[in-house]
Amino acid sequence: MDNQVFESSAERTFQYQSSLPPLPVPDLHDSLDKYLHAVKPFASEEEFLATEAIVKRFEEGIGQQLQQKLLRRSKSRSNWLEDWWLDTAYLEARIPSQLNVNFGGPTACVEHCWTSLNLWFTLQYWDLILNVFQKCLISRLAIHKAGTMPFDMDQFRMLFCTCKVPGVNKDTILNFFKTESEGPCPSHMIVMCRGRVFTFDALCDGRILTPPELLRQLTYIKECCDGEPEGDGVSALTTEERTRWAKAREYLISIDPVNKTILETIQSSLFVLALDDAKPYSSPENCTQLTHLALTGDPTIRWGDKSYNLICFSNGTFASNCDHAPYDAMVLVSNGYYVDEKLRACGGVWKGSKVVREMPVPEELIFTVDERVRRDIALAKEQYNKSSQDLQVVSYAFTSFGKAAIKKRKLHPDTFVQLALQLSYYRLHGKPGSCYETATTRRFYHGRTETMRPCTVEAQHWCRTMLNPTATTEEKRQALNAAFRKHNKLMAEAQDGKGFDRHLLGLYLIAKEEGLSVPELYTDSLYTKSGGGGSFVLSTSLVGYTTVLGAVAPMVPHGYGFFYRIRDDRIVASCTAWKSNPETDAETLFHNLCTSLHDIMHITTQSQL
């Protein structure tokens, strides 16, 4: 998405959906072979031999049966993984979503531009997918592609009018979005300010409100809240552990049917706009405060289960906080980059009509609460604040070089950063760190992601060579090239549906569904030590080559979250860690990363002399 085209007149956003290939089931032997290679950096010779024997027994025994059942499942589904992934990765999880699952970060960073202008461009993006106003019955958001290969665009249906709803055992996702040809789509939005909830329609006479009209609606809400007591902050309940939130929600509905109507209004709304009184500092080199507040800000003015919370801070900076269940970060990156480009193009100035049409003022939605609900809210806030204060976030720019200098050396920029991260972790902790990198599988029907594991045998050999004072530049260069080749090969295979992590998950879930005992492969200590079962120490993702960056919390208590974007002249990273863990420090990891980036550049430069 380097020079991303947003609008397309020739192709319709969802036109290739029915012709996309189904998600393949990888070959069992290939997956197990890749798995063995992936656990090797974490194993002693003895441990590796034991795991090798376990894998062999699995392949010759129960693995065969599970593979046949998985192949049968894939015959009747275009994506054998889709429902399972949604359930196991998101909907069955009971930990609080808002800090552990949601992603957030700075959005459209043209500082001090109208909130209403940012909002207007966000609504224009909705229109690109929806296409109500062009009356040509096609969605005009350009299809993402790899070369000429179209990507699945289904996740873009989930950005607007989508919400997760908590259940006692399992959550559900409600999606109310419709394109023009499918029927009416909700057009109301929610604005939250100082613990209070308001709604208004983003359309008037079938046309999107202009920035002056949006400003009129937002000013009305702000004036309602200024100098008035704070609202009950019911939205803080969305930060709770999922089962507790489900029960609190059931109780909320039981005390007054109006509460159910308000919940339905929030769930079906386009998105939530949070008017936040905070004034986070941000600059192109340091977005730490803004990113921290995007992830951990005021819980009474965002709805943690909403697919999109756009947060407007009182100093004109913006951020977002989104539920991860319905879509992956690239959807939000695309939306954020579109808004950013449009804001830059107009210089943050509205050049259209200043006329404000007659329209209803925003309506306040007031929940009925009692002492029990107030207690639930107070407890939710207390626990959320405790967790928030434990999350360390740093978001800095490395400005010595970027994509241009890396590509000049004929190296892949993403692999460059990933290997630098491997070296940084090794330097800091003196051992390999199990690492997850997102690989997209969107070339397949409803494809989302596969795990690519950057902590390869080759990467570790290179790390050790780098830290060996007797190693020559030539030895370092050869080890680096081998690590690059392996990373690029694994990434290409993962994107082509030949990764092994989702495959192993599928085999595990087949066993579970059949009521079989958990195969030994999954209870082996190396399975978890190498990152299996979502226990990766480094949780990483390249969010692209645009101006948009996000952040996530670490997967495990002793881990790091690491999102990064790559520009021509810089590499910008958001790194997170839990303060309560004495082993980890996000700030130190970032500074180590800078050193490692220079180290790689130094080797490649020296070897070219």
Side-chain angles (χ1 to χ4, degrees):
M1 292 200 315
D2 220 343
N3 300 306
Q4 196 179 28
V5 178
F6 293 106
E7 297 176 54
S8 162
S9 51
E11 295 178 316
R12 301 186 308 281
T13 307
F14 304 111
Q15 81 176 55
Y16 296 116
Q17 289 303 107
S18 57
S19 59
L20 288 167
L23 185 72
V25 174
D27 177 79
L28 181 64
H29 178 74
D30 287 353
S31 284
L32 294 174
D33 190 48
K34 280 179 187 162
Y35 169 67
L36 280 174
H37 278 279
V39 303
K40 211 165 192 176
F42 307 93
S44 65
E45 217 168 305
E46 208 176 309
E47 285 174 319
F48 186 72
L49 287 171
T51 296
E52 216 173 18
I54 289 170
V55 167
K56 194 168 187 287
R57 285 197 292 276
F58 181 80
E59 186 176 354
E60 291 169 356
I62 188 70
Q64 294 284 349
Q65 296 168 41
L66 299 175
Q67 176 76 349
Q68 290 313 310
K69 289 178 195 294
L70 190 56
L71 287 166
R72 272 203 296 280
R73 177 186 170 92
S74 72
K75 296 266 189 302
S76 60
R77 288 173 168 81
S78 295
N79 188 315
W80 58 266
L81 177 66
E82 185 177 14
D83 299 344
W84 273 348
W85 181 246
L86 205 52
D87 287 353
T88 55
Y90 300 112
L91 303 182
E92 289 169 357
R94 299 292 86 195
I95 53 172
S97 297
Q98 204 171 134
L99 213 56
N100 299 287
V101 179
N102 290 21
F103 54 83
T107 183
C109 280
V110 178
E111 292 192 10
H112 310 295
C113 62
W114 288 10
T115 305
S116 51
L117 200 53
N118 190 320
L119 201 49
W120 188 73
F121 283 125
T122 302
L123 292 166
Q124 296 303 312
Y125 191 82
W126 167 56
D127 174 30
L128 277 181
I129 313 175
L130 175 80
N131 224 82
V132 172
F133 314 108
Q134 305 305 316
K135 299 299 176 200
C136 53
L137 300 189
I138 60 166
S139 300
R140 295 170 302 126
L141 181 69
I143 296 163
H144 292 183
K145 293 182 178 179
T148 56
M149 190 189 295
F151 273 6
D152 186 281
M153 295 295 285
D154 187 66
Q155 292 180 52
F156 283 84
R157 305 178 64 89
M158 299 292 179
L159 179 59
F160 299 106
C161 309
T162 303
C163 197
K164 190 164 69 184
V165 175
V168 173
N169 300 312
K170 179 183 156 182
D171 301 344
T172 46
I173 292 173
L174 300 180
N175 175 246
F176 302 89
F177 174 83
K178 284 187 169 72
T179 61
E180 163 78 351
S181 55
E182 292 167 342
C185 178
S187 56
H188 66 283
M189 47 181 295
I190 295 290
V191 180
M192 293 190 179
C193 181
R194 298 193 181 165
R196 294 164 69 178
V197 185
F198 298 82
T199 186
F200 64 85
D201 205 309
L203 304 180
C204 178
D205 301 328
R207 293 208 323 271
I208 288 177
L209 303 193
T210 63
E213 289 167 342
L214 290 165
L215 187 63
R216 207 289 302 269
Q217 300 294 62
L218 297 177
T219 305
Y220 174 87
I221 291 168
K222 200 84 180 74
E223 286 172 354
C224 278
C225 295
D226 280 346
E228 293 292 318
E230 290 210 353
D232 291 303
V234 171
S235 65
L237 294 173
T238 65
T239 68
E240 260 291 12
E241 186 272 342
R242 303 306 295 171
T243 299
R244 276 207 295 274
W245 162 215
K247 288 175 177 169
R249 186 178 177 278
E250 281 172 4
Y251 179 74
L252 197 59
I253 290 168
S254 75
I255 57 178
D256 190 340
V258 169
N259 289 344
K260 188 171 193 284
T261 308
I262 295 173
L263 288 166
E264 286 166 352
T265 306
I266 294 169
Q267 285 157 195
S268 62
S269 67
L270 283 167
F271 56 93
V272 170
L273 175 70
L275 299 179
D276 197 314
D277 290 329
K279 296 178 179 176
Y281 168 81
S282 83
S283 73
E285 281 72 45
N286 184 352
C287 257
T288 296
Q289 266 191 20
L290 188 58
T291 307
H292 192 267
L293 278 181
L295 283 178
T296 67
D298 185 349
T300 68
I301 52 169
R302 47 179 77 175
W303 199 262
D305 293 346
K306 200 69 182 142
S307 61
Y308 187 26
N309 290 273
L310 175 60
I311 304 157
C312 169
F313 295 105
S314 61
N315 60 353
T317 52
F318 290 87
S320 59
N321 187 284
C322 311
D323 176 31
H324 204 334
Y327 61 80
D328 299 313
M330 57 80 205
V331 173
L332 196 73
V333 169
S334 179
N335 168 63
Y337 189 46
Y338 170 85
V339 173
D340 203 20
E341 291 285 278
K342 294 290 184 185
L343 281 168
R344 286 175 196 278
C346 73
V349 177
W350 170 247
K351 300 182 176 82
S353 167
K354 303 279 195 292
V355 176
V356 175
R357 291 169 286 177
E358 276 294 309
M359 65 187 76
V361 296
E363 177 196 352
E364 183 166 11
L365 305 174
I366 303 172
F367 283 100
T368 302
V369 299
D370 61 10
E371 273 315 302
R372 177 175 157 182
V373 175
R374 285 194 189 93
R375 271 201 314 276
D376 285 345
I377 293 169
L379 182 65
K381 279 159 77 171
E382 187 187 323
Q383 286 175 308
Y384 173 78
N385 290 335
K386 196 177 161 193
S387 301
S388 297
Q389 283 160 15
D390 189 30
L391 188 67
Q392 180 194 16
V393 179
V394 298
S395 187
Y396 300 133
F398 168 84
T399 55
S400 301
F401 57 83
K403 188 178 70 173
I406 298 170
K407 291 202 93 162
K408 217 172 172 178
R409 283 156 181 78
K410 298 185 170 51
L411 296 170
H412 196 296
D414 176 55
T415 312
F416 197 101
V417 176
Q418 282 288 341
L419 289 175
L421 182 61
Q422 283 296 311
L423 181 56
S424 312
Y425 185 89
Y426 199 100
R427 234 185 210 130
L428 187 54
H429 295 283
K431 59 183 179 183
S434 60
C435 184
Y436 164 96
E437 183 185 1
T438 308
T440 183
T441 51
R442 284 175 62 212
R443 62 186 65 176
F444 302 105
Y445 179 81
H446 285 193
R448 287 190 62 164
T449 59
E450 173 60 270
T451 299
M452 188 268 144
R453 298 196 186 194
C455 187
T456 60
V457 169
E458 291 80 353
Q460 288 313 299
H461 172 64
W462 171 67
C463 288
R464 283 194 297 274
T465 307
M466 285 299 289
L467 300 177
N468 175 2
T470 64
T472 64
T473 302
E474 183 55 23
E475 284 168 339
K476 290 174 182 177
R477 187 184 68 80
Q478 285 184 3
L480 177 67
N481 287 344
F484 258 98
R485 283 194 299 274
K486 183 61 174 282
H487 190 105
N488 294 344
K489 179 176 182 280
L490 289 178
M491 179 55 88
E493 288 171 352
Q495 291 173 342
D496 199 29
K498 298 188 181 94
F500 70 86
D501 271 275
R502 302 291 184 268
H503 185 198
L504 290 187
L505 174 70
L507 297 171
Y508 169 80
L509 291 171
I510 284 275
K512 195 175 159 188
E513 276 187 10
E514 299 279 325
L516 303 168
S517 58
V518 175
E520 192 183 5
L521 184 132
Y522 303 94
T523 57
D524 178 25
S525 64
L526 271 188
Y527 180 74
T528 311
K529 203 171 163 185
S530 64
S535 59
F536 291 98
V537 172
L538 289 160
S539 170
T540 78
S541 193
L542 166 68
V543 293
Y545 300 91
T546 73
T547 52
V548 182
L549 183 61
V552 284
M555 275 187 183
V556 291
H558 57 292
Y560 296 94
F562 188 85
F563 270 24
Y564 54 102
R565 63 184 179 88
I566 304 172
R567 300 291 284 169
D568 275 347
D569 65 340
R570 63 186 52 211
I571 295 158
V572 190
S574 290
C575 188
T576 60
W578 298 108
K579 292 176 190 171
S580 53
N581 189 282
E583 290 174 41
T584 54
D585 184 66
E587 183 99 26
T588 313
L589 187 73
F590 178 83
H591 292 304
N592 261 310
L593 178 80
C594 298
T595 307
S596 300
L597 290 166
H598 280 298
D599 286 345
I600 299 180
M601 191 54 86
H602 185 62
I603 295 170
T604 57
T605 308
Q606 275 201 320
S607 62
Q608 287 181 329
L609 295 175

